[in-house]
Amino acid sequence: MAANIVFVDEGTNDEVVGGEDSDLDENTDNSESSEEEDDRREEDSDGEADSEEETEEDNWVLGDRIPRRLDFTADRGLNVELPNNPSFSDYFHLLFPENLFNEIASQTNKYATETIASLQRRGRLPQHSRFRNWPEDGVTAGEIKAFLAMIIAMGLVNQENIQDYWSIDEVLSTPFFPQIMSRDKFMNILTFFHLCDNDDYVPRGQEGYDPIKKLGTIYSVVTGKFSDVWKPGKNICIDEGMIPFRGKVHFKVYNPDKPDKYGVKSYQLCDSSNGYCCRSSLKMLPVLGHPHGK
């Protein structure tokens, strides 16, 4: 489409009509106008964005409420009193009171008596079985403590086989163990060692099943003592921990990236200054009908 071109003489301000422009000139004008329109749209959008940002900033209001600073005022340290020259036993009994071993001895004797009687009724107790040497009055709390002391010592002195701790071989012999307890007595306690009353046990899969019922009241007493004995300081840490274990429990976990690959996970609250575990809660796989499964 052609149009007249008008020239203006700057000296006289007279308009001079020239010839017609070409279609190329018109297309050029149209492209320049579209570019100008695009530029205007971009400017408008930028302006809207800026205004939105300004509006959001305008919504912030400087309040007059001063945040309350929570100062740590508790006293870190022992919550119990110790004798003037405490022994290792005194520290041990802070976490494991004497009545704990009475309960373990009671449950162990009950389980041993019921098991041996059941084997005798079914005619499955051999004549020379070491179970026949189980004392009529059962084991005492002192013998349970000696048994646990030997278990701890076995973690310090490694032998290829548990029988080797009572070996009389001059290379393998470890006099500490036979001096504390005979092999057959140790093996009997190891077989019948029990923490809970089976009469109150609810089988897995039934309503009311508790995965940690086998730990009896011992677990709750010990974990409660850990909280009662020591008061942590200002800096604490909450994390997961692995309790090494290769026994048969359904909530045992396997992690190939950990030093202890098999075990039971637990949530632990520890004092950052010394690593003391103040609280611990076992982490279990979801169990049908159990409210504490995690």
Side-chain angles (χ1 to χ4, degrees):
M1 178 179 178
N4 292 330
I5 299 177
V6 178
F7 296 94
V8 178
D9 188 347
E10 295 179 357
T12 60
N13 290 331
D14 294 334
E15 293 181 358
V16 179
V17 179
E20 297 178 349
D21 63 345
S22 62
D23 293 337
L24 180 60
D25 294 335
E26 182 181 3
N27 293 335
T28 303
D29 293 340
N30 291 336
S31 63
E32 291 177 353
S33 336
S34 68
E35 290 178 357
E36 292 176 357
E37 291 179 359
D38 293 339
D39 292 340
R40 283 196 298 270
R41 291 195 195 97
E42 292 179 0
E43 292 176 356
D44 294 341
S45 62
D46 292 342
E48 292 176 357
D50 293 339
S51 63
E52 290 178 359
E53 292 179 358
E54 292 176 357
T55 303
E56 292 179 357
E57 292 179 356
D58 293 341
N59 290 334
W60 289 93
V61 178
L62 182 62
D64 56 354
R65 182 176 179 272
I66 300 176
R68 179 186 174 189
R69 180 182 177 133
L70 301 177
D71 295 326
F72 184 79
T73 58
D75 296 327
R76 171 181 166 274
L78 284 173
N79 282 338
V80 294
E81 293 184 1
L82 287 169
N84 294 331
N85 296 313
S87 63
F88 292 113
S89 178
D90 293 327
Y91 285 106
F92 179 80
H93 284 103
L94 288 180
L95 302 176
F96 304 94
E98 192 67 36
N99 64 328
L100 203 68
F101 301 100
N102 294 326
E103 176 67 15
I104 296 174
S106 174
Q107 295 301 334
T108 298
N109 289 328
K110 181 176 185 297
Y111 181 65
T113 302
E114 293 174 349
T115 303
I116 294 172
S118 175
L119 291 173
Q120 288 177 332
R121 285 196 305 269
R122 292 179 292 165
R124 298 184 59 182
L125 186 65
Q127 186 65 31
H128 301 288
S129 172
R130 69 169 185 270
F131 292 170
R132 293 184 180 273
N133 296 327
W134 187 262
E136 293 183 2
D137 297 334
V139 295
T140 64
E143 290 173 325
I144 290 295
K145 284 198 285 186
F147 168 80
L148 293 176
M150 296 173 71
I151 292 290
I152 296 173
M154 286 177 179
L156 303 175
V157 181
N158 295 322
Q159 293 279 20
E160 188 69 22
N161 189 292
I162 194 171
Q163 309 287 342
D164 293 338
Y165 289 101
W166 287 266
S167 174
I168 58 176
D169 185 276
E170 60 182 6
V171 176
L172 299 177
S173 64
T174 47
F176 168 78
F177 297 93
Q179 290 175 3
I180 300 299
M181 188 179 293
S182 68
R183 181 193 63 189
D184 286 350
K185 189 168 191 176
F186 177 89
M187 296 302 294
N188 274 345
I189 298 178
L190 181 64
T191 300
F192 297 119
F193 188 80
H194 223 62
L195 302 178
C196 74
D197 190 348
N198 283 347
D199 294 340
D200 300 329
Y201 181 72
V202 178
R204 182 181 177 185
Q206 297 185 12
E207 186 177 356
Y209 167 71
D210 187 353
I212 60 175
K213 176 64 177 178
K214 285 292 185 179
L215 298 179
T217 59
I218 312 302
Y219 173 73
S220 59
V221 170
V222 173
T223 53
K225 285 294 182 181
F226 271 80
S227 301
D228 297 338
V229 167
W230 181 264
K231 184 181 295 184
K234 178 179 180 180
N235 299 317
I236 59 175
C237 175
I238 302 176
D239 201 355
E240 288 184 345
M242 178 76 83
I243 303 172
F245 184 73
R246 287 180 175 265
K248 295 181 180 179
V249 292
H250 65 86
F251 48 88
K252 179 177 64 179
V253 298
Y254 171 72
N255 190 337
D257 298 328
K258 296 290 185 181
D260 299 309
K261 296 177 174 53
Y262 293 92
V264 178
K265 274 194 173 183
S266 67
Y267 293 106
Q268 299 175 357
L269 185 149
C270 302
D271 190 336
S272 300
S273 63
N274 54 18
Y276 180 87
C277 180
C278 301
R279 292 189 181 182
S280 177
S281 177
L282 294 180
K283 177 181 179 182
M284 287 164 280
L285 298 176
V287 178
L288 182 62
H290 180 62
H292 302 299
K294 300 178 182 178

